[in-house]
Amino acid sequence: MGLLVYSVWLLVCVSVSVVCVRCEVKPAQDCGCNTLHTHRAEEKEKEEEEEDGKGGASAQSPAHKYSERANKESLNKEDSLSKLVLMEGGWFLMGTDDPGIPQDGEGPQRRVWLDPYYIEEHEVTNLQFQLFTNITHHLTEAERFGDSFVFEGLLSEEVKSSLSHAVAAAPWWSPVKGADWRRPEGPDSSITRRMDHPVLHVSWTDAWAYCEWAGRRLPTEAEWEFACRGGLQDRLYPWGNKLMPRGQHYANLWQGEFPNHNTAEDGFTQTSPVKRFPANTFGLYDMVGNVWEWTADWWSVHHTRDHTHNPKGPKTGSDKVKKGGSYMCHKSYCYRYRCAARSQNTPDSSASNLGFRCAADLAP
Ligand SMILES: [Ca+2]
Ligand SMILES: [Ca+2]
């Protein structure tokens, strides 16, 4: 009962943030080996057919071919990773004394020192995540749990009719069976035409695994916010205080009336391809909007005004910090597409508006 009350409270507090305290954590149904086996068997069959067509047997063994493929994948990995942008660090003002959502712990404004680091110029895409899973056979938590949260406005009538329940405090969210990063709106959807869009339905744990594979890491909240601000001081957005300078959209957000009417004046009702909106002064794209981004830090709403160096957040916690808001954010209910804004989810949560980008240390 305590857990239920806590869950409802969290849902109310974070509004559009889906806090998915998994009540039924099922063990992995399989290791993915069956899929792999089938996939490889199909490939082998195809190769044999091609060779038959040439009228001769292969001069190479299957093992040799597999090894070649592995080498190629390894080369592709280096090519696939996002460009890293150097953040020179130094002192900056983190948070705000004029919080849009005070209960989120946006304040107080405090002086923070950061050592230099790198951060990826855009959110990790479906194409990048696909290569990661092809090479590592990583199974996301949404795939293992068998469901993930999807904004109901994106679901087909067929999927909607199969829903058992929605989230009481945020009825526009529904746990959809079979929704995962490859099928963002459930079993009858795909990412085929969205390979350059940010990957969705990745938990904090999945994001951490990708960054580690890439030889990188998740940014701390302070690093993320420094990057968001683009060298500007005490401004709302990565580009300044005006949401639409010269009438131009600078981020993929929600226009219209949430949750029933999305006019998509910015060109997108859902995610947009990365780098579609202007970069900030640091050359970073979609720091606010498009998808929320996981950070390394545990969640807390209590911050000291004391000057801190390279803060990493609380040592432990139940939720992780996410930053930047998403294509679902509108000022009327989720004014979180600001650099100081923040929200949280449990590390195993996943949803159709939550992704990430990696950071990296400078070589020692
Ligand atoms: Ca939009
Ligand atoms: Ca973003």
Side-chain angles (χ1 to χ4, degrees):
M1 188 62 187
L3 181 60
L4 180 63
V5 171
Y6 177 64
S7 300
V8 170
W9 175 81
L10 281 174
L11 282 164
V12 170
C13 285
V14 302
S15 183
V16 74
S17 308
V18 176
V19 175
C20 169
V21 179
R22 303 254 186 202
C23 300
E24 277 183 54
V25 179
K26 298 174 217 160
Q29 290 172 347
D30 63 53
C31 64
C33 308
N34 288 343
T35 310
L36 176 63
H37 176 75
T38 307
H39 182 58
R40 286 191 181 152
E42 282 170 2
E43 280 186 351
K44 188 164 181 282
E45 221 169 80
K46 197 176 164 196
E47 283 165 4
E48 283 170 354
E49 277 172 15
E50 283 171 359
E51 284 155 12
D52 286 348
K54 288 175 197 161
S58 169
Q60 294 178 330
S61 69
H64 181 76
K65 283 182 180 170
Y66 181 77
S67 163
E68 274 191 342
R69 198 154 53 230
N71 287 339
K72 203 174 164 193
E73 283 173 339
S74 172
L75 288 174
N76 287 344
K77 172 184 170 182
E78 296 310 315
D79 291 341
S80 82
L81 297 179
S82 295
K83 177 184 162 191
L84 287 170
V85 181
L86 175 65
M87 300 288 106
E88 292 184 350
W91 288 107
F92 84 108
L93 290 175
M94 184 172 175
T96 176
D97 284 332
D98 184 19
I101 306 175
Q103 65 269 28
D104 282 353
E106 295 178 8
Q109 191 176 63
R110 59 247 185 226
R111 276 171 70 77
V112 166
W113 170 272
L114 290 180
D115 292 335
Y117 64 100
Y118 292 107
I119 193 160
E120 292 182 346
E121 70 168 353
H122 60 76
E123 298 147 336
V124 173
T125 65
N126 284 318
L127 187 66
Q128 292 173 313
F129 200 78
Q130 183 181 62
L131 185 70
F132 160 64
T133 61
N134 283 350
I135 294 175
T136 63
H137 310 299
H138 176 89
L139 208 56
T140 61
E141 293 201 276
E143 289 170 291
R144 290 197 287 114
F145 291 134
D147 63 32
S148 188
F149 279 92
V150 184
F151 172 55
E152 201 168 304
L154 302 178
L155 297 175
S156 67
E157 289 305 318
E158 194 177 342
V159 172
K160 268 188 213 169
S161 66
S162 70
L163 296 176
S164 53
H165 64 283
V167 179
W172 47 85
W173 285 111
S174 294
V176 173
K177 287 201 185 315
D180 55 46
W181 73 273
R182 295 176 203 272
R183 289 155 297 199
E185 292 84 40
D188 59 357
S189 63
S190 90
I191 54 170
T192 308
R193 294 171 189 273
R194 288 181 272 179
M195 297 311 288
D196 57 352
H197 287 226
V199 64
L200 305 172
H201 298 294
V202 282
S203 68
W204 184 92
T205 312
D206 299 324
W208 184 88
Y210 173 94
C211 292
E212 190 183 48
W213 166 78
R216 301 177 180 179
R217 60 179 174 77
L218 284 171
T220 64
E221 181 181 6
E223 288 173 337
W224 192 98
E225 188 166 325
F226 179 93
C228 181
R229 292 183 177 281
L232 300 176
Q233 187 167 302
D234 206 17
R235 294 289 186 273
L236 293 171
Y237 311 117
W239 55 87
N241 272 339
K242 197 173 174 189
L243 182 60
M244 291 178 60
R246 297 173 300 284
Q248 189 184 353
H249 289 281
Y250 273 65
N252 182 7
L253 305 171
W254 181 293
Q255 296 86 40
E257 190 184 327
F258 187 86
N260 299 317
H261 186 50
N262 187 347
T263 62
E265 281 168 25
D266 58 17
F268 301 93
T269 53
Q270 305 184 40
T271 56
S272 45
V274 298
K275 302 173 71 169
R276 186 56 64 93
F277 292 83
N280 71 4
T281 310
F282 288 163
L284 304 172
Y285 295 86
D286 302 302
M287 290 303 294
V288 299
N290 214 11
V291 288
W292 281 100
E293 299 173 29
W294 288 112
T295 74
D297 295 16
W298 289 109
W299 172 260
S300 168
V301 295
H302 304 293
H303 311 292
T304 172
R305 271 197 195 274
D306 295 346
H307 298 179
T308 53
H309 286 70
N310 304 307
K312 291 180 168 35
K315 285 196 166 48
T316 58
S318 58
D319 288 3
K320 289 289 184 179
V321 178
K322 62 179 184 179
K323 297 281 280 185
S326 79
Y327 66 91
M328 289 175 60
C329 280
H330 183 273
K331 189 168 185 178
S332 65
Y333 82 103
C334 174
Y335 185 36
R336 291 190 173 91
Y337 43 89
R338 295 167 290 112
C339 294
R342 54 207 300 274
S343 190
Q344 90 271 34
N345 281 113
T346 57
D348 64 353
S349 296
S350 61
S352 59
N353 67 345
L354 179 49
F356 69 103
R357 78 179 72 205
C358 307
D361 293 317
L362 269 59

